[in-house]
Each structure stands twice: as structure tokens, then as C-alpha cells.
Amino acid sequence: MIKIFTRLIATELHLNEHAVENTLKLLDEGCTIPFISRYRKERTGGLDEVQITAISDRVERLKEIAHRKETIVKTITEQEKMTPELQQRISDCWDATTLEDIYLPYKPRRRTRAQVARERGLEPLAQLLMLQREPHPAETAKRFVKGDVTNTAEALKGAQDIIAEQVSEDERNRNSVRAAFRREAFIVSKVVKAKKDTDEAQKYSDYFDWEEPLKRCSSHRLLAMRRGEEEGVLRVSITIEDDDAIARLKRSLPPTPSHEGRACRRLLEEAVEDGYKRLLLPSIETEFAALSKQRADEEAINVFAQNLRQLLLSAPLGQKRVMGIDPGFRTGCKVVCLDAQGNLLHHEAIFPHPPINHRMQATVHLQQMLADYHIEAIAIGNGTASRETRAFVEDVLSSTQHPAPTTYVVSEDGASVYSASKVARDEFPDEDVTVRGAVSIGRRLMDPLAELVKIDPKSIGVGQYQHDVDQTKLKHSLDHVVESCVNSVGVNLNTASQHLLTYVSGLGPVLAQNIVDYRREHGAFTSRAQLKKVPRLGPAAYQQSAGFLRIPEAKNPLDNSAVHPESYAIVEQMAKDNDCTVADLISNKEKRAAIDIKKYVTADVGMPTLTDIMHELEKPGRDPREQIEEFEFDDSVQTIDDLQEGMELPGIVTNITNFGAFVDIGVHQDGLVHVSQLADRYVSDPTQVVRLHQHVRVRVMAVDLRRKRISLSMKGLNKT
């Protein structure tokens, strides 16, 4: 089977068959995608994570089809209807839709009108009508008036029911109607009249009377319509020109052999029309509704995955002493002080804002905390009272001795979800949710990746209709993204939480917890080899995980690099050949330049691995993420009422969709930069122009106060 899968996948993805076959073997051996892409380039021909993920997804889909084939063959065989030709067709078929079409005539189902007619003995009459040789069908039908069939009209109607079902199950007919749907189908949305004037319906007002070609319907519009349909506000259908489709089906009927068959022809054409409207059309419409939803899901999931990757790889501040502030008015601002490792040192609430307005007291307390805990940076959540809190903090810092800590505004999305989660309760069993939320805000500044992996990605606020798409596919995609990001950055073995370690290649929740328990009992790891002493962490898990784990103070400097332990001997030989230590190779550019890596090529180790080793020796353990930047909103704009058309303002990209980007301009309501307003050129993909958390300049185009919608433009304001 692997040969068949290899050929099919290589053809579909336009990849080398040998590379695909080796990748499938590595996946079957239990290797992870990050491990294969990073450490098995010789076997895969240098395939990247995206290509390997595509191979993995395709092989799972083919396995599902293979399993479905077994069920179909078993069912048809039990009916004693299997033929060598049918068996071969099923064996050769790897398209799910075609496979179901082949199976349709044999598929067990509830009693249909055609099945009832067959039980009444009317199938021979249907066959006679199909031959179109009976000049008087009603006379012929008299021979079948017996038993449950009480008259000729009933006999003819039963025969037509059989023909209608045959028409609807014929592969050519189904493909003909499918082709029409692909060419000319329209998606139509109408408002349910009883809901039109309700408040909940207004967000769907664009789709109260909407029609467009299905093939041009974007993912976000289709998902919006389907959500409106789910909520009972809209009625959505997919249609084609029925008369044209019926005419094509009638033309596909066998020609009438003589003038005498005209009466039969009329009955046949009536059966065709009935089969189309009652059986074939609903079936294909359901199929295209599912296919269009599937495509929209895939597009939305892809957008979500790209956003999540950018968010997880956001610039970290690093190990600094941080103050985290969860701002608020009535409930006050919850303040936490963290050490450079993110451990909670102190927390308290201050009330600098109305209605309590203890500004002086809050100032004194804030200054005391800054001094007592040697705070180096301040993270302020971007929710309610964020701008007011930042202004207060900046005012306090202006009277503080320099250098004052730098202030950053941090996204709060998902902080409340984290604070109420089991992960947070395990970390801070004695603290309430407000303290946990403030800690999360502070830690997000230090290391967004380490903190955000604790939160369900759907709660982070960077998706598009994430609750409307296929949840299994969404989770599968997002888990891949998290795993990819964690392993591309690498994980400090001695400071990583159990949750972060879970996503390291080859580990998982149990081994991650075992590592934390071992670390707690035996102290910090001093070498990667020590991992082998962790309970249940066997050779396979060690091979998959070791290269992605870092030990900054390790005796062997390679333990703090992406060089895999299986390649240590190569580096040691390089050092020996150059009469120096491994540490010398890392610190001395000239010694590295003197190495001829071709000398170290073997049957198992090729140029790709050796090139990666040399890059890693140049900057061992390098963090691929960018440096963090400061940002400030325009002080003259505080609320949506302050906005005027034509204003140019600074903003932060908070979410990217396939129709544009949402930008926070500091008025507690994000504005939309439509894809057509992102640049002075045509933009097909917003991610070509913007990235999550990018600092941009925008121009206010329009403000809808009633619906709280802000239209923005970036044209002519940013380098793209």
C-alpha cells in the first residue's frame, strides 16, 4: 500500500517519489514532523515542515479511503452483487466522491419509493418504458395491476419512481449536474422575515438579500451566512438553472427508436424531471454545501494558523524583572511583580482611577514596588482602562530616578481563560483569578510563546469564525503550529513549564511531567545525556526531543545548540582536526572558516546536515524571534467619538483575515483595513503586507457609530 500512497501523494503534491516514500517511512517509525524536517534532510531531500505536514495529512486521508473501500467491498459482496469489473473499479479509485458514486446503487438505505415499487413487482415495467417500444404504456401497465397495485396509473407511477432513482444514481448524470454546479451555482441568502428587525439579526444585514456565484464566494462571507443560518436569521441555498440541467439529463436518455415510443418518452422525461428535483438536486446541493463549507473551513483555519504562528513567535523581552498590570476602573488595577524567571514575588491592587480615585496612594505603592523588586519593564494589559493606566504609570515614572522601566502594552486575549484553567490553578493554587491573569500578562511580555501555549488557541483572539469551522481539523492544524513554533525556537530544559515541554518533539504530557518531577528532585540538568535518566524517557523519545532542548550553562556547549547529540562526534572530530576544542570552534570564526565540511560527508551524513551544523556553530541556540519594540497611541484620540475622517494615527495589527487586517488605534474598538486598502498595489493575501502585532500608520476612512465599525486605510502610509 505504501507504494500506491507514495505515487498518489507525489503526483498530487508534485514531489519526488523517493522523498515521499522515505518521509512516509519516517512517519510510520514514529518520527515527528519537526524532527524529520530538521534532522533527516538527507532522507527527505530537504523537504520542509509544510511539505511534510501535507504528506502526513494526505496519507491519513488515503488511509481513510482505503478503510472505506473495505467496508464497501464487504457490503457489496454480502449482497452477492460483486463482479470482477466492479472490484477493479473500487480498487483503482482513490477519489472519495467517485467512490461513493460507485457505491450508491448498492448502499443500504431506508425504504424508498423505488424500493417499494420493486417489491410490488414493477421493475420489469420500468425496463419496458426505458426501451421506449410500447405504443400504449397504459395498456402494457395493465399486466402489472395485481396485489398492492390497484390500477394502471399506480403501476406507471411506481415504474417512474424506479426510473427516477436510476437517473439520480447514474454516475454520468451526477457528474453532469456536478459540472453545472461548478460552473454556474449561485449561493443565495434571504432573511427570515420574523427575525429581520431584531437586534441579533443586524450583524447579518449585509446578507438579508444576497446572491453571488458560489465559486466567487469568499470564506468569510460563506461562514457568515452559514452562521446566520445556524442562528435562524438567514435561509441559505445553493442553486443552478433547473431547466438547463433537466434538459441536459433528458438529452442523455436513449433515443426513441420509433414514432410509437413517444408515449414512453413522455413518461421517461417526467421521471427524469422528478428524479432531478426530488433526488438528484437535493443530493448534489447538499454535497456542494458541504464542499464549499469545507473549503471555507480550510481557508479560515489556514488564516488562523498563520496568525497563531505570528503570535507565538512574537518578539520576547527575555529574562527581565517585570511588573504585570491588569488594568481596571471600579475593581482597580491588579499589579504583580515577577522575577527574571517569571516567578511571582508580590501582588496587590491599586485604585488610581474613578470611581475610587486613590491616585496618590496608588502612586506611592507603585513607586515602592518598582524599587523593592528592581523592576526592569512593565506590561500593561490592553483591555478596559489600559490607556488610562499607561498614562498613570508614565506619570509615575516621570518622577522616578532614571533609567526608568520601559512600559509595554500587552494583549489580554485569553488571559481570563488561562486564569480559570487547571494549568493556572496548578501553578498558583493559593491565588485568585485576578492575580493569575496579571501574571499571565507579565509573562507574555517576557516570553509570549512559553505563556501562550498554556491557552487554548481558539481563545487567543486571532481567528476568523474559529467556532464555526470543523473543530477536529482546527485543533489538528493549530496543534501542528504550536509544535512547530516551540521546536523552531527551542526550549530551556531547566526553566520550561510542563505545558511548554509537552509540545517538544517526542515528549507529550506524561514525559513532560516526568522531566519537571526529575528536575524538582535532582536539580537542574547539566547535560542532555541526563535526560536518559528520566523515567519512561526511552531511546526513541530521547532521539526525537534532544535536539530541541537547550541547557544554557551546560559543560558541553553543544547542549545549548540545535546540533543533535547524534552529530556531536562530527563536531568533536572537526575540533580535533583543527587542534582546538568545540568551544573554540564556536567562538573563533577563523577556525570555523578553515573547516572543509566535504571531508565529513558519510553514507548517513550529507551536506544538508553539515551545513546546518556550521550555521549553528556560528550562533548556537540563537532565538529566531525579532526584537521587541515600544509603541504609543495618539494621545488626542481616546474613544471612537474622537475619530474624524482623514485622521492619520498609529496602530497595532491585532488580527489578520483573508479580507483585511484589524488594527487597534486605542479607542477600545479595532478598525478594519480592507484588503483593498492595505497598499497602493493589488494585494491578494494580506499576510504579504502585514504581520500580527506590526506597528502601522492608518488613515480613518469612515466611522459607523451605530454599529461601532471603523474603516481604515494604509495606502501611502507604510513601506510595503
Side-chain angles (χ1 to χ4, degrees), residues 162-202:
I162 293 172
I163 294 167
E165 186 172 272
Q166 290 173 346
V167 167
S168 74
E169 293 181 349
D170 183 86
E171 278 186 66
R172 290 170 301 177
N173 291 340
R174 296 182 71 81
N175 285 330
S176 172
V177 176
R178 279 194 192 101
F181 266 77
R182 277 192 290 270
R183 286 192 312 270
E184 61 201 51
F186 274 75
I187 184 165
V188 179
S189 171
K190 303 286 185 184
V191 67
V192 175
K193 289 184 179 179
K195 295 287 187 76
K196 184 175 182 179
D197 297 322
T198 61
D199 290 340
E200 66 265 26
Q202 295 313 303

Side-chain angles (χ1 to χ4, degrees), residues 50-80:
V50 174
Q51 292 168 314
I52 296 168
T53 299
I55 292 171
S56 176
D57 290 343
R58 262 76 171 178
V59 76
E60 289 305 313
R61 189 180 67 198
L62 290 172
K63 286 178 180 178
E64 290 174 4
I65 293 175
H67 181 70
R68 180 65 174 156
K69 283 185 182 186
E70 292 174 3
T71 302
I72 289 172
V73 168
K74 183 171 180 283
T75 303
I76 298 175
T77 302
E78 287 173 351
Q79 295 174 10
E80 298 182 351

Side-chain angles (χ1 to χ4, degrees), residues 75-105:
T75 303
I76 298 175
T77 302
E78 287 173 351
Q79 295 174 10
E80 298 182 351
K81 294 179 180 178
M82 183 60 74
T83 65
E85 294 77 16
L86 182 56
Q87 176 80 58
Q88 190 62 49
R89 281 202 71 198
I90 295 171
S91 178
D92 292 342
C93 180
W94 290 100
D95 177 78
T97 301
T98 304
L99 184 64
E100 293 303 324
D101 278 354
I102 295 171
Y103 180 42
L104 189 58

Side-chain angles (χ1 to χ4, degrees), residues 422-592:
K422 183 180 183 302
V423 177
R425 293 196 300 273
D426 290 344
E427 283 192 287
F428 303 104
D430 301 323
E431 307 297 348
D432 66 22
V433 291
T434 62
V435 174
R436 298 171 193 158
V439 170
S440 181
I441 288 169
R443 286 178 171 177
R444 289 183 191 199
L445 177 63
M446 300 167 71
D447 190 343
L449 177 60
E451 194 61 21
L452 291 172
V453 294
K454 301 174 186 176
I455 303 169
D456 181 349
K458 287 189 297 182
S459 302
I460 296 178
V462 293
Q464 174 192 343
Y465 296 99
Q466 60 263 39
H467 299 289
D468 299 293
V469 303
D470 186 305
Q471 296 300 293
T472 301
K473 289 182 179 178
L474 177 64
K475 185 178 186 306
H476 175 72
S477 175
L478 300 186
D479 283 348
H480 267 311
V481 171
V482 176
E483 182 184 40
S484 171
C485 291
V486 168
N487 290 287
S488 68
V489 171
V491 171
N492 186 325
L493 184 55
N494 286 322
T495 61
S497 66
Q498 182 262 344
H499 210 78
L500 183 60
L501 288 166
T502 296
Y503 289 98
V504 172
S505 167
L507 295 184
V510 174
L511 290 179
Q513 187 60 57
N514 289 352
I515 288 173
V516 172
D517 293 343
Y518 183 91
R519 194 171 66 197
R520 187 181 299 118
E521 182 179 350
H522 300 280
F525 286 87
T526 57
S527 71
R528 280 172 169 167
Q530 207 176 339
L531 278 165
K532 297 175 182 178
K533 298 179 181 179
V534 173
R536 298 179 66 179
L537 202 155
Y542 178 76
Q543 180 197 51
Q544 296 296 307
S545 65
F548 303 103
L549 296 166
R550 309 278 187 268
I551 306 175
E553 306 302 325
K555 182 178 178 181
N556 186 340
L558 295 179
D559 281 348
N560 191 37
S561 74
V563 177
H564 197 281
E566 65 190 11
S567 298
Y568 282 9
I570 299 170
V571 182
E572 289 162 359
Q573 186 62 50
M574 289 176 177
K576 183 179 179 181
D577 291 347
N578 283 271
D579 196 24
C580 66
T581 65
V582 171
D584 291 335
L585 280 184
I586 292 172
S587 62
N588 193 315
K589 182 178 179 180
E590 292 179 358
K591 289 188 178 296
R592 293 196 304 273

Side-chain angles (χ1 to χ4, degrees), residues 22-32 35-36 40 43 540 543-544:
N22 281 342
T23 300
L24 292 175
K25 287 178 180 177
L26 287 165
L27 290 168
D28 281 344
E29 291 166 11
C31 295
T32 68
F35 177 81
I36 295 169
R40 290 296 179 265
R43 289 186 63 180
Q543 180 197 51
Q544 296 296 307

